[in-house]
Amino acid sequence: MIEQILFYTLAALALVAAIVVIAQRSPIYSAFALIVVLCSLSGIFAILGSPFIAVIQIVVYAGAIMVLFLFVLMLLNVQKEADDPGGSKPLRTAAAALAAVFAAQVGLVIARARFASGPEQYEASTRKVAELLFSPTFLYVFEATSILILAALVGAIVLAKRDL
Amino acid sequence: MTGSLVQHAVLLSVVLFTLGALGVFLRRNVITIFMCIELMLNAVNLAFVAFSRSLGTFDGQVLVFFVMTVAAAEAAVGLAIVIALHRHRDTLDVDSFNLLKW
């Protein structure tokens, strides 16, 4: 019961904050709203039985990635978007209508689907996730990920160099 | 009981993904567009975790781990590109980045 109350509270919080992210003109406020979304999702992950994912959501997303975003925002001294939407008002309305149709269609399918409730005792603890991650199924993907990180590291340094 | 919780988690994921996609179309600041992409990635992560809970496996968590890695790499490279763009154009408005348009 307590877990359901917590789930719906966090879900509502995530929804409101997500709307703030896309409705806010100032990127700094968008970034802070996104941090609220990420923290609420972390709580939802914990409720769904994934404590490891909940923790790395906070550490990697809210900690590392969002700090990077805020750092760049402060570095570039970003201003608010101008009020004038640039004469593309019909296109924006069409985008909103298409998004509503998309959400309604997928939502209808999901709402009609029957989901298995899964095992009674379920906890994706760090040990269980790590055992699967380092099993032969995912080991090569994990190694490929390290190459990706290295490439991103070198790429970011090269791109941010002054004389590009 | 858990079945409906999983269902509502997937529904939340759908709505968050749609909001992220809408934000990509509505916002014109390139960094806000980036944040909307992060929002979509998080919606997908939520779906992975919910389906993993429903099926009683741990593959979803491993995939979320990889999605987070790719998101971190993408944010690092993307923000470096944003800094380079800002240095050349002095703006972050995506409408002014039309060099590849013919």
Side-chain angles (χ1 to χ4, degrees):
Chain A
M1 192 59 211
I2 183 90
E3 129 187 295
Q4 268 160 331
I5 295 171
L6 213 55
F7 175 85
Y8 291 113
T9 315
L10 287 171
L13 192 63
L15 270 183
V16 171
I19 291 170
V20 172
V21 170
I22 69 161
Q24 185 57 245
R25 283 188 191 282
S26 164
I28 295 275
Y29 289 142
S30 283
F32 279 111
L34 188 55
I35 293 175
V36 174
V37 176
L38 299 175
C39 292
S40 324
L41 282 182
S42 164
I44 290 178
F45 290 158
I47 291 168
L48 288 173
S50 310
F52 173 66
I53 296 298
V55 170
I56 64 168
Q57 168 90 358
I58 296 281
V59 172
V60 175
Y61 257 115
I65 297 183
M66 288 318 292
V67 167
L68 195 61
F69 269 98
L70 284 172
F71 180 75
V72 172
L73 281 171
M74 307 264 177
L75 187 73
L76 299 182
N77 190 22
V78 182
Q79 304 298 321
K80 270 186 174 184
E81 278 183 30
D83 274 334
D84 170 40
S88 55
K89 191 88 178 164
L91 280 180
R92 294 156 78 85
T93 318
L98 273 179
V101 170
F102 173 78
Q105 284 187 332
V106 185
L108 202 65
V109 173
I110 300 293
R112 282 187 179 170
R114 299 267 281 291
F115 286 91
S117 45
E120 279 300 313
Q121 289 297 318
Y122 178 89
E123 195 187 83
S125 58
T126 310
R127 172 191 288 272
K128 282 177 182 143
V129 176
E131 273 169 3
L132 188 59
L133 183 62
F134 295 113
S135 73
T137 325
F138 287 110
L139 187 61
Y140 296 106
V141 189
F142 182 77
E143 294 299 335
T145 308
S146 64
I147 297 172
L148 173 80
I149 294 276
L150 183 66
L153 186 71
V154 176
I157 292 170
V158 170
L159 280 170
K161 251 171 56 174
R162 187 150 284 281
D163 51 344
L164 181 68
Chain B
M1 183 187 109
T2 323
S4 81
L5 212 59
V6 166
Q7 187 164 32
H8 292 155
V10 178
L11 276 175
L12 175 68
S13 149
V14 170
V15 177
L16 285 182
F17 187 91
T18 315
L19 283 174
L22 187 59
V24 169
F25 287 110
L26 291 186
R27 294 290 91 190
R28 280 172 305 143
N29 187 306
V30 67
I31 295 182
T32 316
I33 289 177
F34 245 113
M35 289 193 275
C36 291
I37 293 173
E38 298 292 332
L39 190 58
M40 287 197 277
L41 286 172
N42 263 281
V44 174
N45 282 352
L46 178 58
F48 270 133
V49 169
F51 283 126
S52 201
R53 174 75 185 85
S54 173
L55 297 172
T57 60
F58 304 112
D59 299 65
Q61 273 82 7
V62 174
L63 283 172
V64 169
F65 182 81
F66 289 132
V67 170
M68 280 185 184
T69 320
V70 172
E74 173 238 320
V77 175
L79 289 171
I81 293 175
V82 168
I83 290 177
L85 272 175
H86 186 265
R87 190 174 291 142
H88 284 259
R89 292 293 181 99
D90 281 325
T91 177
L92 288 176
D93 191 339
V94 281
D95 290 339
S96 62
F97 304 142
N98 51 8
L99 208 65
L100 288 179
K101 224 189 248 176
W102 57 282

